[in-house]
PDB file of all heavy atoms in Angstrom:
ATOM      1  N   THR M   1       0.548   6.301   6.358  1.00  0.00           N
ATOM      2  CA  THR M   1      -0.091   6.999   7.467  1.00  0.00           C
ATOM      3  C   THR M   1      -1.514   7.414   7.090  1.00  0.00           C
ATOM      4  O   THR M   1      -1.913   7.367   5.916  1.00  0.00           O
ATOM      5  CB  THR M   1       0.709   8.260   7.823  1.00  0.00           C
ATOM      6  OG1 THR M   1       0.728   9.128   6.672  1.00  0.00           O
ATOM      7  CG2 THR M   1       2.133   7.907   8.213  1.00  0.00           C
ATOM      8  N   GLN M   2      -2.271   7.860   8.099  1.00  0.00           N
ATOM      9  CA  GLN M   2      -3.622   8.358   7.827  1.00  0.00           C
ATOM     10  C   GLN M   2      -3.580   9.535   6.868  1.00  0.00           C
ATOM     11  O   GLN M   2      -4.467   9.670   6.013  1.00  0.00           O
ATOM     12  CB  GLN M   2      -4.303   8.756   9.133  1.00  0.00           C
ATOM     13  CG  GLN M   2      -4.614   7.570  10.041  1.00  0.00           C
ATOM     14  CD  GLN M   2      -5.616   7.904  11.125  1.00  0.00           C
ATOM     15  OE1 GLN M   2      -6.541   8.678  10.911  1.00  0.00           O
ATOM     16  NE2 GLN M   2      -5.447   7.302  12.302  1.00  0.00           N
ATOM     17  N   GLU M   3      -2.580  10.377   6.968  1.00  0.00           N
ATOM     18  CA  GLU M   3      -2.462  11.532   6.075  1.00  0.00           C
ATOM     19  C   GLU M   3      -2.259  11.085   4.630  1.00  0.00           C
ATOM     20  O   GLU M   3      -2.707  11.763   3.700  1.00  0.00           O
ATOM     21  CB  GLU M   3      -1.301  12.426   6.517  1.00  0.00           C
ATOM     22  CG  GLU M   3      -1.550  13.212   7.798  1.00  0.00           C
ATOM     23  CD  GLU M   3      -1.643  12.324   9.041  1.00  0.00           C
ATOM     24  OE1 GLU M   3      -0.980  11.239   9.069  1.00  0.00           O
ATOM     25  OE2 GLU M   3      -2.369  12.689   9.983  1.00  0.00           O
ATOM     26  N   ARG M   4      -1.597   9.955   4.432  1.00  0.00           N
ATOM     27  CA  ARG M   4      -1.386   9.454   3.075  1.00  0.00           C
ATOM     28  C   ARG M   4      -2.627   8.732   2.547  1.00  0.00           C
ATOM     29  O   ARG M   4      -2.813   8.644   1.333  1.00  0.00           O
ATOM     30  CB  ARG M   4      -0.180   8.511   3.046  1.00  0.00           C
ATOM     31  CG  ARG M   4       1.149   9.250   3.208  1.00  0.00           C
ATOM     32  CD  ARG M   4       2.335   8.304   3.197  1.00  0.00           C
ATOM     33  NE  ARG M   4       3.589   9.034   3.013  1.00  0.00           N
ATOM     34  CZ  ARG M   4       4.780   8.456   2.908  1.00  0.00           C
ATOM     35  NH1 ARG M   4       4.892   7.138   2.977  1.00  0.00           N
ATOM     36  NH2 ARG M   4       5.859   9.194   2.739  1.00  0.00           N
ATOM     37  N   ILE M   5      -3.438   8.205   3.444  1.00  0.00           N
ATOM     38  CA  ILE M   5      -4.654   7.515   3.004  1.00  0.00           C
ATOM     39  C   ILE M   5      -5.730   8.501   2.579  1.00  0.00           C
ATOM     40  O   ILE M   5      -6.496   8.239   1.631  1.00  0.00           O
ATOM     41  CB  ILE M   5      -5.179   6.601   4.134  1.00  0.00           C
ATOM     42  CG1 ILE M   5      -4.198   5.464   4.406  1.00  0.00           C
ATOM     43  CG2 ILE M   5      -6.551   6.026   3.777  1.00  0.00           C
ATOM     44  CD1 ILE M   5      -4.559   4.593   5.591  1.00  0.00           C
ATOM     45  N   LYS M   6      -5.819   9.644   3.226  1.00  0.00           N
ATOM     46  CA  LYS M   6      -6.906  10.600   2.964  1.00  0.00           C
ATOM     47  C   LYS M   6      -7.045  10.960   1.487  1.00  0.00           C
ATOM     48  O   LYS M   6      -8.153  10.884   0.926  1.00  0.00           O
ATOM     49  CB  LYS M   6      -6.717  11.857   3.813  1.00  0.00           C
ATOM     50  CG  LYS M   6      -6.998  11.648   5.296  1.00  0.00           C
ATOM     51  CD  LYS M   6      -6.686  12.906   6.098  1.00  0.00           C
ATOM     52  CE  LYS M   6      -6.880  12.675   7.595  1.00  0.00           C
ATOM     53  NZ  LYS M   6      -6.493  13.863   8.399  1.00  0.00           N
ATOM     54  N   PRO M   7      -5.967  11.354   0.781  1.00  0.00           N
ATOM     55  CA  PRO M   7      -6.145  11.697  -0.636  1.00  0.00           C
ATOM     56  C   PRO M   7      -6.525  10.505  -1.511  1.00  0.00           C
ATOM     57  O   PRO M   7      -7.185  10.679  -2.540  1.00  0.00           O
ATOM     58  CB  PRO M   7      -4.780  12.273  -1.042  1.00  0.00           C
ATOM     59  CG  PRO M   7      -3.822  11.826   0.002  1.00  0.00           C
ATOM     60  CD  PRO M   7      -4.602  11.675   1.256  1.00  0.00           C
ATOM     61  N   ILE M   8      -6.122   9.292  -1.098  1.00  0.00           N
ATOM     62  CA  ILE M   8      -6.534   8.101  -1.845  1.00  0.00           C
ATOM     63  C   ILE M   8      -8.030   7.891  -1.677  1.00  0.00           C
ATOM     64  O   ILE M   8      -8.749   7.608  -2.646  1.00  0.00           O
ATOM     65  CB  ILE M   8      -5.746   6.863  -1.374  1.00  0.00           C
ATOM     66  CG1 ILE M   8      -4.250   7.041  -1.637  1.00  0.00           C
ATOM     67  CG2 ILE M   8      -6.261   5.605  -2.072  1.00  0.00           C
ATOM     68  CD1 ILE M   8      -3.396   5.902  -1.114  1.00  0.00           C
ATOM     69  N   ARG M   9      -8.526   8.070  -0.447  1.00  0.00           N
ATOM     70  CA  ARG M   9      -9.962   7.934  -0.208  1.00  0.00           C
ATOM     71  C   ARG M   9     -10.732   8.979  -1.011  1.00  0.00           C
ATOM     72  O   ARG M   9     -11.793   8.686  -1.577  1.00  0.00           O
ATOM     73  CB  ARG M   9     -10.244   8.089   1.290  1.00  0.00           C
ATOM     74  CG  ARG M   9     -11.728   8.136   1.683  1.00  0.00           C
ATOM     75  CD  ARG M   9     -12.465   6.814   1.522  1.00  0.00           C
ATOM     76  NE  ARG M   9     -12.787   6.443   0.142  1.00  0.00           N
ATOM     77  CZ  ARG M   9     -13.438   5.350  -0.191  1.00  0.00           C
ATOM     78  NH1 ARG M   9     -13.850   4.511   0.737  1.00  0.00           N
ATOM     79  NH2 ARG M   9     -13.678   5.081  -1.455  1.00  0.00           N
ATOM     80  N   ASP M  10     -10.206  10.199  -1.095  1.00  0.00           N
ATOM     81  CA  ASP M  10     -10.883  11.254  -1.849  1.00  0.00           C
ATOM     82  C   ASP M  10     -10.920  10.941  -3.338  1.00  0.00           C
ATOM     83  O   ASP M  10     -11.916  11.232  -4.013  1.00  0.00           O
ATOM     84  CB  ASP M  10     -10.165  12.595  -1.623  1.00  0.00           C
ATOM     85  CG  ASP M  10     -10.327  13.117  -0.208  1.00  0.00           C
ATOM     86  OD1 ASP M  10     -11.258  12.670   0.495  1.00  0.00           O
ATOM     87  OD2 ASP M  10      -9.516  13.967   0.200  1.00  0.00           O
ATOM     88  N   LYS M  11      -9.861  10.332  -3.848  1.00  0.00           N
ATOM     89  CA  LYS M  11      -9.778  10.074  -5.287  1.00  0.00           C
ATOM     90  C   LYS M  11     -10.528   8.816  -5.702  1.00  0.00           C
ATOM     91  O   LYS M  11     -11.211   8.813  -6.721  1.00  0.00           O
ATOM     92  CB  LYS M  11      -8.311   9.947  -5.712  1.00  0.00           C
ATOM     93  CG  LYS M  11      -8.121   9.623  -7.201  1.00  0.00           C
ATOM     94  CD  LYS M  11      -6.653   9.566  -7.580  1.00  0.00           C
ATOM     95  CE  LYS M  11      -6.477   9.144  -9.029  1.00  0.00           C
ATOM     96  NZ  LYS M  11      -7.141  10.071  -9.988  1.00  0.00           N
ATOM     97  N   TRP M  12     -10.398   7.742  -4.905  1.00  0.00           N
ATOM     98  CA  TRP M  12     -10.937   6.443  -5.313  1.00  0.00           C
ATOM     99  C   TRP M  12     -12.436   6.393  -5.059  1.00  0.00           C
ATOM    100  O   TRP M  12     -12.902   6.497  -3.942  1.00  0.00           O
ATOM    101  CB  TRP M  12     -10.239   5.315  -4.556  1.00  0.00           C
ATOM    102  CG  TRP M  12     -10.619   3.960  -5.068  1.00  0.00           C
ATOM    103  CD1 TRP M  12     -11.487   3.072  -4.513  1.00  0.00           C
ATOM    104  CD2 TRP M  12     -10.141   3.343  -6.272  1.00  0.00           C
ATOM    105  NE1 TRP M  12     -11.576   1.947  -5.272  1.00  0.00           N
ATOM    106  CE2 TRP M  12     -10.774   2.073  -6.368  1.00  0.00           C
ATOM    107  CE3 TRP M  12      -9.245   3.738  -7.277  1.00  0.00           C
ATOM    108  CZ2 TRP M  12     -10.516   1.203  -7.428  1.00  0.00           C
ATOM    109  CZ3 TRP M  12      -9.003   2.863  -8.333  1.00  0.00           C
ATOM    110  CH2 TRP M  12      -9.629   1.621  -8.410  1.00  0.00           C
ATOM    111  N   LYS M  13     -13.201   6.195  -6.112  1.00  0.00           N
ATOM    112  CA  LYS M  13     -14.664   6.219  -6.011  1.00  0.00           C
ATOM    113  C   LYS M  13     -15.271   4.842  -5.774  1.00  0.00           C
ATOM    114  O   LYS M  13     -16.487   4.728  -5.572  1.00  0.00           O
ATOM    115  CB  LYS M  13     -15.256   6.819  -7.299  1.00  0.00           C
ATOM    116  CG  LYS M  13     -14.738   8.228  -7.605  1.00  0.00           C
ATOM    117  CD  LYS M  13     -14.883   9.166  -6.412  1.00  0.00           C
ATOM    118  CE  LYS M  13     -14.319  10.549  -6.717  1.00  0.00           C
ATOM    119  NZ  LYS M  13     -14.312  11.428  -5.518  1.00  0.00           N
ATOM    120  N   GLY M  14     -14.437   3.825  -5.788  1.00  0.00           N
ATOM    121  CA  GLY M  14     -14.935   2.484  -5.502  1.00  0.00           C
ATOM    122  C   GLY M  14     -14.767   2.137  -4.040  1.00  0.00           C
ATOM    123  O   GLY M  14     -14.632   3.013  -3.174  1.00  0.00           O
ATOM    124  N   LYS M  15     -14.771   0.853  -3.751  1.00  0.00           N
ATOM    125  CA  LYS M  15     -14.582   0.384  -2.382  1.00  0.00           C
ATOM    126  C   LYS M  15     -13.093   0.429  -2.034  1.00  0.00           C
ATOM    127  O   LYS M  15     -12.241   0.069  -2.851  1.00  0.00           O
ATOM    128  CB  LYS M  15     -15.113  -1.036  -2.213  1.00  0.00           C
ATOM    129  CG  LYS M  15     -16.597  -1.177  -2.526  1.00  0.00           C
ATOM    130  CD  LYS M  15     -17.451  -0.338  -1.577  1.00  0.00           C
ATOM    131  CE  LYS M  15     -18.938  -0.539  -1.846  1.00  0.00           C
ATOM    132  NZ  LYS M  15     -19.795   0.283  -0.954  1.00  0.00           N
ATOM    133  N   LEU M  16     -12.805   0.856  -0.808  1.00  0.00           N
ATOM    134  CA  LEU M  16     -11.421   0.997  -0.367  1.00  0.00           C
ATOM    135  C   LEU M  16     -11.206   0.134   0.878  1.00  0.00           C
ATOM    136  O   LEU M  16     -11.936   0.256   1.866  1.00  0.00           O
ATOM    137  CB  LEU M  16     -11.096   2.458  -0.059  1.00  0.00           C
ATOM    138  CG  LEU M  16      -9.643   2.791   0.260  1.00  0.00           C
ATOM    139  CD1 LEU M  16      -8.725   2.410  -0.903  1.00  0.00           C
ATOM    140  CD2 LEU M  16      -9.494   4.285   0.571  1.00  0.00           C
ATOM    141  N   VAL M  17     -10.198  -0.739   0.809  1.00  0.00           N
ATOM    142  CA  VAL M  17      -9.919  -1.722   1.853  1.00  0.00           C
ATOM    143  C   VAL M  17      -8.491  -1.523   2.351  1.00  0.00           C
ATOM    144  O   VAL M  17      -7.568  -1.315   1.550  1.00  0.00           O
ATOM    145  CB  VAL M  17     -10.087  -3.161   1.307  1.00  0.00           C
ATOM    146  CG1 VAL M  17      -9.659  -4.197   2.340  1.00  0.00           C
ATOM    147  CG2 VAL M  17     -11.523  -3.400   0.863  1.00  0.00           C
ATOM    148  N   LEU M  18      -8.294  -1.604   3.653  1.00  0.00           N
ATOM    149  CA  LEU M  18      -6.965  -1.518   4.245  1.00  0.00           C
ATOM    150  C   LEU M  18      -6.513  -2.918   4.632  1.00  0.00           C
ATOM    151  O   LEU M  18      -7.180  -3.611   5.399  1.00  0.00           O
ATOM    152  CB  LEU M  18      -6.988  -0.618   5.480  1.00  0.00           C
ATOM    153  CG  LEU M  18      -5.643  -0.362   6.167  1.00  0.00           C
ATOM    154  CD1 LEU M  18      -4.697   0.405   5.236  1.00  0.00           C
ATOM    155  CD2 LEU M  18      -5.843   0.421   7.467  1.00  0.00           C
ATOM    156  N   LYS M  19      -5.369  -3.339   4.108  1.00  0.00           N
ATOM    157  CA  LYS M  19      -4.835  -4.680   4.375  1.00  0.00           C
ATOM    158  C   LYS M  19      -3.578  -4.570   5.237  1.00  0.00           C
ATOM    159  O   LYS M  19      -2.738  -3.711   5.004  1.00  0.00           O
ATOM    160  CB  LYS M  19      -4.498  -5.402   3.074  1.00  0.00           C
ATOM    161  CG  LYS M  19      -3.972  -6.820   3.271  1.00  0.00           C
ATOM    162  CD  LYS M  19      -3.766  -7.506   1.925  1.00  0.00           C
ATOM    163  CE  LYS M  19      -3.282  -8.936   2.114  1.00  0.00           C
ATOM    164  NZ  LYS M  19      -1.897  -8.996   2.597  1.00  0.00           N
ATOM    165  N   GLY M  20      -3.473  -5.479   6.196  1.00  0.00           N
ATOM    166  CA  GLY M  20      -2.333  -5.479   7.087  1.00  0.00           C
ATOM    167  C   GLY M  20      -2.670  -4.976   8.475  1.00  0.00           C
ATOM    168  O   GLY M  20      -1.788  -4.801   9.310  1.00  0.00           O
ATOM    169  N   VAL M  21      -3.937  -4.764   8.729  1.00  0.00           N
ATOM    170  CA  VAL M  21      -4.377  -4.291  10.045  1.00  0.00           C
ATOM    171  C   VAL M  21      -4.118  -5.387  11.074  1.00  0.00           C
ATOM    172  O   VAL M  21      -4.434  -6.557  10.853  1.00  0.00           O
ATOM    173  CB  VAL M  21      -5.872  -3.920  10.020  1.00  0.00           C
ATOM    174  CG1 VAL M  21      -6.353  -3.503  11.396  1.00  0.00           C
ATOM    175  CG2 VAL M  21      -6.114  -2.815   9.001  1.00  0.00           C
ATOM    176  N   ALA M  22      -3.532  -4.994  12.215  1.00  0.00           N
ATOM    177  CA  ALA M  22      -3.185  -5.986  13.227  1.00  0.00           C
ATOM    178  C   ALA M  22      -3.563  -5.548  14.633  1.00  0.00           C
ATOM    179  O   ALA M  22      -3.167  -6.192  15.603  1.00  0.00           O
ATOM    180  CB  ALA M  22      -1.683  -6.282  13.166  1.00  0.00           C
ATOM    181  N   ASN M  23      -4.352  -4.473  14.764  1.00  0.00           N
ATOM    182  CA  ASN M  23      -4.765  -4.017  16.096  1.00  0.00           C
ATOM    183  C   ASN M  23      -5.993  -3.130  15.986  1.00  0.00           C
ATOM    184  O   ASN M  23      -6.330  -2.624  14.900  1.00  0.00           O
ATOM    185  CB  ASN M  23      -3.622  -3.280  16.805  1.00  0.00           C
ATOM    186  CG  ASN M  23      -3.199  -2.037  16.048  1.00  0.00           C
ATOM    187  OD1 ASN M  23      -3.905  -1.035  16.047  1.00  0.00           O
ATOM    188  ND2 ASN M  23      -2.048  -2.078  15.392  1.00  0.00           N
ATOM    189  N   GLU M  24      -6.637  -2.920  17.102  1.00  0.00           N
ATOM    190  CA  GLU M  24      -7.886  -2.161  17.134  1.00  0.00           C
ATOM    191  C   GLU M  24      -7.679  -0.686  16.797  1.00  0.00           C
ATOM    192  O   GLU M  24      -8.551  -0.054  16.203  1.00  0.00           O
ATOM    193  CB  GLU M  24      -8.538  -2.280  18.509  1.00  0.00           C
ATOM    194  CG  GLU M  24      -8.956  -3.695  18.888  1.00  0.00           C
ATOM    195  CD  GLU M  24      -7.891  -4.478  19.622  1.00  0.00           C
ATOM    196  OE1 GLU M  24      -6.689  -4.349  19.260  1.00  0.00           O
ATOM    197  OE2 GLU M  24      -8.253  -5.222  20.544  1.00  0.00           O
ATOM    198  N   ARG M  25      -6.553  -0.130  17.186  1.00  0.00           N
ATOM    199  CA  ARG M  25      -6.318   1.292  16.938  1.00  0.00           C
ATOM    200  C   ARG M  25      -6.268   1.594  15.441  1.00  0.00           C
ATOM    201  O   ARG M  25      -6.857   2.581  14.987  1.00  0.00           O
ATOM    202  CB  ARG M  25      -5.008   1.729  17.600  1.00  0.00           C
ATOM    203  CG  ARG M  25      -4.721   3.221  17.449  1.00  0.00           C
ATOM    204  CD  ARG M  25      -3.465   3.621  18.196  1.00  0.00           C
ATOM    205  NE  ARG M  25      -3.174   5.028  18.031  1.00  0.00           N
ATOM    206  CZ  ARG M  25      -2.107   5.628  18.530  1.00  0.00           C
ATOM    207  NH1 ARG M  25      -1.226   4.929  19.240  1.00  0.00           N
ATOM    208  NH2 ARG M  25      -1.903   6.916  18.333  1.00  0.00           N
ATOM    209  N   ASP M  26      -5.574   0.761  14.680  1.00  0.00           N
ATOM    210  CA  ASP M  26      -5.534   0.959  13.238  1.00  0.00           C
ATOM    211  C   ASP M  26      -6.912   0.731  12.613  1.00  0.00           C
ATOM    212  O   ASP M  26      -7.281   1.402  11.640  1.00  0.00           O
ATOM    213  CB  ASP M  26      -4.506   0.028  12.603  1.00  0.00           C
ATOM    214  CG  ASP M  26      -3.070   0.477  12.877  1.00  0.00           C
ATOM    215  OD1 ASP M  26      -2.881   1.651  13.251  1.00  0.00           O
ATOM    216  OD2 ASP M  26      -2.152  -0.347  12.724  1.00  0.00           O
ATOM    217  N   ALA M  27      -7.664  -0.217  13.144  1.00  0.00           N
ATOM    218  CA  ALA M  27      -9.022  -0.436  12.650  1.00  0.00           C
ATOM    219  C   ALA M  27      -9.880   0.806  12.872  1.00  0.00           C
ATOM    220  O   ALA M  27     -10.633   1.231  11.988  1.00  0.00           O
ATOM    221  CB  ALA M  27      -9.646  -1.639  13.351  1.00  0.00           C
ATOM    222  N   GLU M  28      -9.766   1.396  14.039  1.00  0.00           N
ATOM    223  CA  GLU M  28     -10.522   2.614  14.334  1.00  0.00           C
ATOM    224  C   GLU M  28     -10.111   3.741  13.396  1.00  0.00           C
ATOM    225  O   GLU M  28     -10.953   4.506  12.910  1.00  0.00           O
ATOM    226  CB  GLU M  28     -10.289   3.026  15.783  1.00  0.00           C
ATOM    227  CG  GLU M  28     -11.110   4.235  16.217  1.00  0.00           C
ATOM    228  CD  GLU M  28     -10.913   4.580  17.682  1.00  0.00           C
ATOM    229  OE1 GLU M  28     -10.095   3.917  18.347  1.00  0.00           O
ATOM    230  OE2 GLU M  28     -11.581   5.516  18.156  1.00  0.00           O
ATOM    231  N   GLY M  29      -8.818   3.845  13.104  1.00  0.00           N
ATOM    232  CA  GLY M  29      -8.357   4.867  12.171  1.00  0.00           C
ATOM    233  C   GLY M  29      -8.924   4.677  10.782  1.00  0.00           C
ATOM    234  O   GLY M  29      -9.307   5.646  10.115  1.00  0.00           O
ATOM    235  N   ALA M  30      -8.992   3.434  10.329  1.00  0.00           N
ATOM    236  CA  ALA M  30      -9.555   3.153   9.007  1.00  0.00           C
ATOM    237  C   ALA M  30     -11.022   3.543   8.941  1.00  0.00           C
ATOM    238  O   ALA M  30     -11.495   4.101   7.937  1.00  0.00           O
ATOM    239  CB  ALA M  30      -9.389   1.674   8.683  1.00  0.00           C
ATOM    240  N   ILE M  31     -11.758   3.275  10.006  1.00  0.00           N
ATOM    241  CA  ILE M  31     -13.173   3.640  10.049  1.00  0.00           C
ATOM    242  C   ILE M  31     -13.337   5.155  10.007  1.00  0.00           C
ATOM    243  O   ILE M  31     -14.195   5.687   9.287  1.00  0.00           O
ATOM    244  CB  ILE M  31     -13.833   3.039  11.305  1.00  0.00           C
ATOM    245  CG1 ILE M  31     -13.874   1.513  11.195  1.00  0.00           C
ATOM    246  CG2 ILE M  31     -15.242   3.600  11.508  1.00  0.00           C
ATOM    247  CD1 ILE M  31     -14.245   0.810  12.481  1.00  0.00           C
ATOM    248  N   SER M  32     -12.503   5.860  10.733  1.00  0.00           N
ATOM    249  CA  SER M  32     -12.602   7.324  10.766  1.00  0.00           C
ATOM    250  C   SER M  32     -12.306   7.949   9.412  1.00  0.00           C
ATOM    251  O   SER M  32     -12.781   9.049   9.106  1.00  0.00           O
ATOM    252  CB  SER M  32     -11.638   7.892  11.820  1.00  0.00           C
ATOM    253  OG  SER M  32     -10.286   7.754  11.412  1.00  0.00           O
ATOM    254  N   LEU M  33     -11.534   7.244   8.577  1.00  0.00           N
ATOM    255  CA  LEU M  33     -11.198   7.750   7.240  1.00  0.00           C
ATOM    256  C   LEU M  33     -12.244   7.370   6.197  1.00  0.00           C
ATOM    257  O   LEU M  33     -12.122   7.729   5.030  1.00  0.00           O
ATOM    258  CB  LEU M  33      -9.836   7.208   6.812  1.00  0.00           C
ATOM    259  CG  LEU M  33      -8.628   7.755   7.587  1.00  0.00           C
ATOM    260  CD1 LEU M  33      -7.395   6.917   7.301  1.00  0.00           C
ATOM    261  CD2 LEU M  33      -8.385   9.216   7.238  1.00  0.00           C
ATOM    262  N   GLY M  34     -13.257   6.627   6.594  1.00  0.00           N
ATOM    263  CA  GLY M  34     -14.323   6.257   5.669  1.00  0.00           C
ATOM    264  C   GLY M  34     -14.010   5.077   4.787  1.00  0.00           C
ATOM    265  O   GLY M  34     -14.601   4.927   3.706  1.00  0.00           O
ATOM    266  N   LEU M  35     -13.101   4.193   5.234  1.00  0.00           N
ATOM    267  CA  LEU M  35     -12.807   3.014   4.446  1.00  0.00           C
ATOM    268  C   LEU M  35     -13.955   2.008   4.549  1.00  0.00           C
ATOM    269  O   LEU M  35     -14.753   2.046   5.471  1.00  0.00           O
ATOM    270  CB  LEU M  35     -11.490   2.383   4.905  1.00  0.00           C
ATOM    271  CG  LEU M  35     -10.238   2.941   4.225  1.00  0.00           C
ATOM    272  CD1 LEU M  35     -10.012   4.408   4.534  1.00  0.00           C
ATOM    273  CD2 LEU M  35      -8.994   2.133   4.600  1.00  0.00           C
ATOM    274  N   ASP M  36     -14.007   1.117   3.558  1.00  0.00           N
ATOM    275  CA  ASP M  36     -15.126   0.182   3.458  1.00  0.00           C
ATOM    276  C   ASP M  36     -14.828  -1.186   4.053  1.00  0.00           C
ATOM    277  O   ASP M  36     -15.751  -1.938   4.374  1.00  0.00           O
ATOM    278  CB  ASP M  36     -15.506   0.004   1.987  1.00  0.00           C
ATOM    279  CG  ASP M  36     -15.869   1.324   1.328  1.00  0.00           C
ATOM    280  OD1 ASP M  36     -16.957   1.846   1.630  1.00  0.00           O
ATOM    281  OD2 ASP M  36     -15.056   1.834   0.530  1.00  0.00           O
ATOM    282  N   GLY M  37     -13.558  -1.545   4.178  1.00  0.00           N
ATOM    283  CA  GLY M  37     -13.226  -2.867   4.674  1.00  0.00           C
ATOM    284  C   GLY M  37     -11.816  -2.951   5.220  1.00  0.00           C
ATOM    285  O   GLY M  37     -10.969  -2.090   4.938  1.00  0.00           O
ATOM    286  N   LEU M  38     -11.579  -3.988   5.995  1.00  0.00           N
ATOM    287  CA  LEU M  38     -10.264  -4.303   6.541  1.00  0.00           C
ATOM    288  C   LEU M  38      -9.930  -5.744   6.191  1.00  0.00           C
ATOM    289  O   LEU M  38     -10.800  -6.611   6.229  1.00  0.00           O
ATOM    290  CB  LEU M  38     -10.252  -4.180   8.064  1.00  0.00           C
ATOM    291  CG  LEU M  38     -10.705  -2.884   8.727  1.00  0.00           C
ATOM    292  CD1 LEU M  38     -10.803  -3.103  10.235  1.00  0.00           C
ATOM    293  CD2 LEU M  38      -9.728  -1.768   8.406  1.00  0.00           C
TER     294      LEU M  38
END
């Protein structure tokens, strides 16, 4: 979930990519969390 991604984004200082995205809503969520790629 987004709640589980947030602490990973805070900890990981490199590039963070979300794999398995299959719709626009999840893509928007990844962008809001500050991820670097899909």
Side-chain angles (χ1 to χ4, degrees):
T1 61
Q2 292 196 36
E3 288 68 30
R4 288 179 166 183
I5 294 174
K6 288 176 184 176
I8 298 176
R9 173 70 285 181
D10 291 341
K11 178 178 176 60
W12 188 257
K13 303 308 178 186
K15 300 298 183 181
L16 187 59
V17 174
L18 183 64
K19 182 176 182 289
V21 177
N23 62 74
E24 297 91 321
R25 183 176 179 183
D26 286 342
E28 184 177 3
I31 293 168
S32 70
L33 291 167
L35 272 64
D36 302 287
L38 306 171

